[in-house]
Amino acid sequence: MKAGLITVLQLATAVAGQYSHQQPLNAEGSSNSKPDSEYQFEWPVKRVAVIGTGVGGLIAYREFTEHGFEVDIYERDSVAGGNWHYTDETAVDAPIPNAHVAVGDYEPSLPPKGVSYPYTKEWKSDGETAAYYRRVHRAPKPIWASLKSNAPAPIQQIRETPWPKGTEWELPHAKLSRYIRAFASWHGVNANDGNPHAFYNTRVEHVERNAAGWTLIAKELVKTEANTTRATWTKKDYDAVVVATGRYNAPNIPVINGLAKWNEEFPGKLRHSRQYRRPEVYANKTVLIIGAANYLRDEVCPHFPLADHLRRLPPNVTLVGEIKTFANPGSSIESSEVHLVNGTVISGLDHVIFGTGYRYTYPFLPQKASVQPLITDGSHIRSLYLDAFYIPDPTLLFINGSRLQYAEFVSLAAAKVWSSAADFPDASALWAWYDKAVVDRLGFGRQFQFYGTERTQAALRFFVGWLNDAATKYGGKQIDNLPAENAEISKIWSSARWGNPNRGSSFPSNLVDVVTPDAPRVDGSEPWVQDAVYSDWW
């Protein structure tokens, strides 16, 4: 217990340190002096492209339009809502093995070289083929029919439009989807609002630097007749680009010996969890689910004890160890064998589902054009100041994750910086912050963009101080931190979700040292439990 406490305290100190050394306020609580050296932007920012109409993209649109920027917003889906737009239609099969991370989500579709924009192409095909390509373009979201929110409503809300009093804390996905679309309509950018600056069914295919900004190529794909599809490519120049495409786009499939051959032999039997919708499909079937939690767990990110996830499984689940290989396939998936590292052999399967997460991927941003890499293995994003501004060119901004409230702070910061209404450090200071973050976060990996409670609170304190200091010096609106009662709300919520240590499970002998039925009760205040609420997975 003492060792665990030391780990938590060390983590809290390191997290706070990432932001405290950049705190803009002095001991008296204000600062009217200019920084020693400011970043010099190569051009004034007036026109901004926002990619994505999830919560992050919509809040960014609001902030930039309120600050006088000319803003276009792009969405590959038919309506706003991001991951919360549920449909029975599922994403196409995930590639096995993984596609290269540069095109992990999709391979960009560009018109022939030398064409004039806008460029339109229309073609006929059988209905099934046409529907397939529209599905690839739209990318149905990875949520299932019974999904509910994994953070309480008072925390999972947009502050401008709080939930009505009496709203249940655990929200069905349909209610969240309508809530986000209502917010989009309030700002005039829903799919049916007729806003000439909102482009739906339009996927961004390519973004690259030009002499004085960014060039963006987008492709609209629409059904014109039963078997006819029309594609229209447009090309526009912008002074800045906001990437708000989220992190649930490119499925991650682990590298396991024999897996690719199984996928070839048993099409449709191996699926990523993004395709799951309802349990009835798997009734009376034997399903191997690979992946035991939806949170990080490894030696450098000890936020979520594995036992506390596994003990929440239903009693008809059998826990097994690590997979060594998918043996040479037999005549059917049922007769084929899966060999575990501990020597156990499994057979009689009907389906395999990969609950193995996603990779960061931005196919429209060619890596060869990057001065410093953004993506390496897809587990994290590099070269960002405050996990938002691309340091080699801070006119490229990332609204990461899907935290409903955090996007407000990042978007306001960018709006102030790009309108010269907030001080912004020079490149050497940006890199110094980043280098310290790499050390504080224990290097690169899946944990690198993980925030959790301590880092979220430290970051928000930094943003509040920085932006309010800027408002004092240059004018503009001030911003409040999140309500203090959120901590108590989070504790109550977490206790209800995690408080029962004996919520049925099987405890096979090969995992007896990992999962123990006498685990201590959770009261909701534990740092790792709080991290589950303040992560970027909701």
Side-chain angles (χ1 to χ4, degrees):
M1 181 63 71
K2 290 182 179 179
L5 179 59
I6 291 173
T7 299
V8 170
L9 291 176
Q10 288 174 338
L11 177 64
T13 302
V15 165
Q18 294 172 36
Y19 297 92
S20 60
H21 78 289
Q22 286 284 338
Q23 175 57 257
L25 301 183
N26 60 25
E28 286 72 39
S30 64
S31 173
N32 293 316
S33 61
K34 286 275 189 179
D36 294 335
S37 182
E38 291 184 84
Y39 191 93
Q40 300 298 317
F41 286 91
E42 297 181 43
W43 54 79
V45 177
K46 296 180 179 178
R47 299 197 66 211
V48 178
V50 176
I51 307 173
T53 62
V55 173
L58 293 171
I59 289 178
Y61 179 89
R62 178 195 70 187
E63 293 298 331
F64 293 124
T65 52
E66 286 183 355
H67 281 78
F69 294 93
E70 302 172 31
V71 188
D72 289 340
I73 190 166
Y74 293 87
E75 173 56 58
R76 65 193 292 184
D77 207 344
S78 57
V79 299
N83 282 324
W84 291 106
H85 176 213
Y86 172 84
T87 62
D88 285 333
E89 184 179 55
T90 64
V92 299
D93 290 344
I96 300 177
N98 278 335
H100 189 279
V101 69
V103 292
D105 182 13
Y106 60 89
E107 190 161 354
S109 170
L110 297 170
K113 292 184 178 180
V115 302
S116 298
Y117 292 90
Y119 175 79
T120 299
K121 178 183 177 181
E122 196 164 12
W123 66 91
K124 287 189 176 182
S125 59
D126 64 88
E128 184 176 345
T129 300
Y132 175 84
Y133 282 106
R134 288 194 295 271
R135 187 157 54 116
V136 170
H137 179 89
R138 184 179 80 80
K141 302 306 183 286
I143 63 174
W144 54 94
S146 61
L147 178 68
K148 294 184 179 181
S149 60
N150 64 336
I155 292 177
Q156 197 165 11
Q157 68 179 350
I158 303 169
R159 292 203 287 181
E160 181 187 3
T161 52
W163 292 102
K165 186 176 181 180
T167 298
E168 68 272 37
W169 281 14
E170 188 175 57
L171 299 162
H173 67 73
K175 183 167 287 189
L176 268 165
S177 180
R178 292 193 296 269
Y179 173 76
I180 297 169
R181 290 201 302 272
F183 180 76
S185 292
W186 180 251
H187 290 279
V189 289
N190 210 349
N192 60 351
D193 287 332
N195 188 328
H197 296 285
F199 302 94
Y200 284 89
N201 300 304
T202 303
R203 193 177 71 183
V204 173
E205 306 291 341
H206 190 72
V207 174
E208 68 177 344
R209 270 286 306 270
N210 57 40
W214 301 86
T215 298
L216 184 150
I217 298 174
K219 174 186 177 182
E220 179 192 46
L221 194 68
V222 296
K223 175 182 177 181
T224 51
E225 296 178 8
N227 299 329
T228 305
T229 304
R230 182 181 67 236
T232 303
W233 287 267
T234 56
K235 184 177 182 179
K236 292 188 176 184
D237 291 332
Y238 295 95
D239 304 314
V241 175
V242 178
V243 179
T245 53
R247 59 164 299 165
Y248 297 107
N249 301 312
N252 177 58
I253 302 292
V255 178
I256 304 176
N257 185 40
L259 183 56
K261 195 165 186 179
W262 270 51
N263 189 53
E264 292 176 6
E265 292 294 322
F266 312 127
K269 295 293 186 178
L270 282 68
R271 317 198 86 182
H272 191 270
S273 59
R274 70 173 181 169
Q275 296 172 295
Y276 175 80
R277 291 295 184 268
R278 289 182 171 85
E280 290 81 7
V281 178
Y282 304 98
N284 301 315
K285 303 290 186 182
T286 300
V287 182
L288 173 63
I289 299 176
I290 301 175
N294 63 333
Y295 297 105
L296 302 173
R297 59 179 201 279
D298 56 36
E299 67 279 0
V300 296
C301 191
H303 299 289
F304 303 118
L306 181 59
D308 289 296
H309 282 278
L310 299 183
R311 72 190 186 191
R312 301 178 71 233
L313 295 173
N316 63 336
V317 171
T318 298
L319 301 176
V320 300
E322 182 181 354
I323 296 173
K324 180 180 180 180
T325 184
F326 284 80
N328 286 332
S331 59
S332 66
I333 189 171
E334 293 87 349
S335 64
S336 302
E337 296 180 345
V338 177
H339 293 200
L340 306 184
V341 171
N342 65 8
T344 302
V345 176
I346 299 174
S347 61
L349 299 176
D350 296 296
H351 299 276
V352 178
I353 297 178
F354 292 90
T356 45
Y358 299 81
R359 297 177 296 159
Y360 288 101
T361 178
Y362 304 104
F364 49 86
L365 286 171
Q367 288 286 298
K368 63 182 180 181
S370 300
V371 178
Q372 295 289 337
L374 276 167
I375 304 297
T376 52
D377 62 358
S379 67
H380 61 284
I381 314 176
R382 298 192 182 190
S383 308
L384 301 183
Y385 174 62
L386 302 177
D387 294 293
F389 295 91
Y390 181 52
I391 297 175
D393 189 339
T395 58
L396 179 63
L397 182 78
F398 290 80
I399 307 291
N400 296 321
S402 52
R403 287 160 284 170
L404 271 69
Q405 297 173 327
Y406 194 77
E408 178 182 2
F409 296 82
V410 174
S411 300
L412 178 58
K416 285 180 176 286
V417 167
W418 291 345
S419 60
S420 300
D423 297 330
F424 196 64
D426 66 9
S428 62
L430 301 181
W431 282 117
W433 182 94
Y434 177 74
D435 291 341
K436 187 177 190 306
V438 173
V439 174
D440 290 343
R441 301 177 189 186
L442 308 178
F444 297 114
R446 292 178 296 167
Q447 83 291 343
F448 193 67
Q449 258 81 37
F450 178 85
Y451 266 56
T453 311
E454 296 289 344
R455 190 174 293 158
T456 294
Q457 292 174 351
L460 293 182
R461 287 194 297 269
F462 168 78
F463 276 108
V464 169
W466 175 30
L467 299 178
N468 289 347
D469 186 53
T472 300
K473 289 192 285 187
Y474 303 116
K477 72 177 181 180
Q478 302 229 353
I479 191 169
D480 294 326
N481 207 327
L482 299 183
E485 60 265 25
N486 278 13
E488 187 64 22
I489 291 171
S490 175
K491 179 180 177 180
I492 295 170
W493 167 269
S494 300
S495 177
R497 288 173 63 86
W498 298 88
N500 182 359
N502 298 309
R503 181 181 171 182
S505 181
S506 55
F507 300 97
S509 59
N510 63 316
L511 285 179
V512 70
D513 293 331
V514 178
V515 184
T516 56
D518 58 348
R521 183 169 294 275
V522 173
D523 72 4
S525 63
E526 294 80 0
W528 69 267
V529 179
Q530 290 293 301
D531 283 354
V533 178
Y534 284 94
S535 72
D536 63 350
W537 274 262
W538 53 264

